[in-house]
Amino acid sequence: MQSFRNYYEILGVANDASADEIKRSYRRLARQYHPDLNPGNKAAEDKFKAIGEAYGVLSDSVKRAEYDQLGGFWKQPGFGRGGRNDKEKFGKFRTFNDFYDEILSRRTPAPEPEFDPVPRRTQTTRTVRTAAPPPPRQEPDPFRPGTSKESYTVKPPKQKRDAEARLTVPLEKAYSGGRERIRLEDGRSLEVDMPPHMVSGQKVRLREQGVNGGDLYLNIEVSPHPFFRLEGSDISCKLPITPSEAVLGAPVEVPTLDGLVKMVVPAGVRSGQRLRLANKGYPDVNGDRGDQIVELTIAIPKELSEQERELYEKLRQAETFNPRKDLPV
């Protein structure tokens, strides 16, 4: 006799699982134990057949109802051996095999033999006429459980690969960082959180932006700045001043990465002389900032107003400084 199989347990679902839950579980297990993915694995092949058999019953509402009706009695003594309880509860099934065949193939049980009535006076024997035997039962195809027609093409998972791209950023953005929409060389546009204090040669990792979900590494290149120049952790710049500021000295405003900062130019400075703004340089890997080196250049006006020209004339007549006095020739 066919042994009882707990189809709910085979599919890993509860007895009250919905049709959608049963279908999802079947699809997941069918993919897992499919013979194409487990070549030569007899245990996986048997499991795949059992999964198809279970789904063929539980996916059919009529078969499932009959299966659920049997579940509470199949282990009781006498079931399958013609006991009284069997006849009362499962009159049309003589054994569990009959029930199993019924729910799997919907086979109509063979009718009882029919007997011709025997005339009391003219006939002393009776003729027994039996129904034709039922056609041989066809086993359900485990690859096509129930009446569903489903097939799966299992593709191997795509391999993740990291990728690299070059990203050129201006100095101000490299210094401040922050959320930024960037366009990569491959044409993609991404919105990312850029870290502050980036330097040329640094790599920034973008998770799952590479090939097939791998990571993308941005090779940072800080573009040259028209005013600031990086020298390690120091920043240098050239600041023009007027002749009067160079002679008399004056407070001037100097651009920095943090904005304008006031600096006092001492009297009598020379063109090319360098002054230092402490802690206004570029942060290093530890967060310590260098200095900003300000190189002074004396700018000569190309156009003068009438008043300025008169003052320069008076200054030339009054000045005693001769810069060519000590020439070595």
Side-chain angles (χ1 to χ4, degrees), residues 207-220:
R207 294 182 180 273
E208 301 180 354
Q209 296 298 325
V211 180
N212 299 327
D215 295 335
L216 174 64
Y217 290 88
L218 297 179
N219 295 315
I220 301 300

Side-chain angles (χ1 to χ4, degrees), residues 35-64:
D36 291 347
L37 298 181
N38 301 272
N41 190 333
K42 186 63 169 60
E45 181 180 354
D46 293 341
K47 181 70 174 178
F48 182 80
K49 292 180 179 180
I51 293 167
E53 177 183 305
Y55 182 71
V57 174
L58 299 185
S59 63
D60 187 299
S61 59
V62 177
K63 294 179 183 180
R64 181 179 178 182

Side-chain angles (χ1 to χ4, degrees), residues 12 58 91 97 108 121 140 146 163 206 211 214 227 243 254 277 281-282 284 321:
L58 299 185
N97 264 345
T108 303
R121 296 180 181 179
L206 301 181
V211 180
F227 182 73
V254 183
L277 292 175
Y282 207 81
D284 59 17
F321 174 65

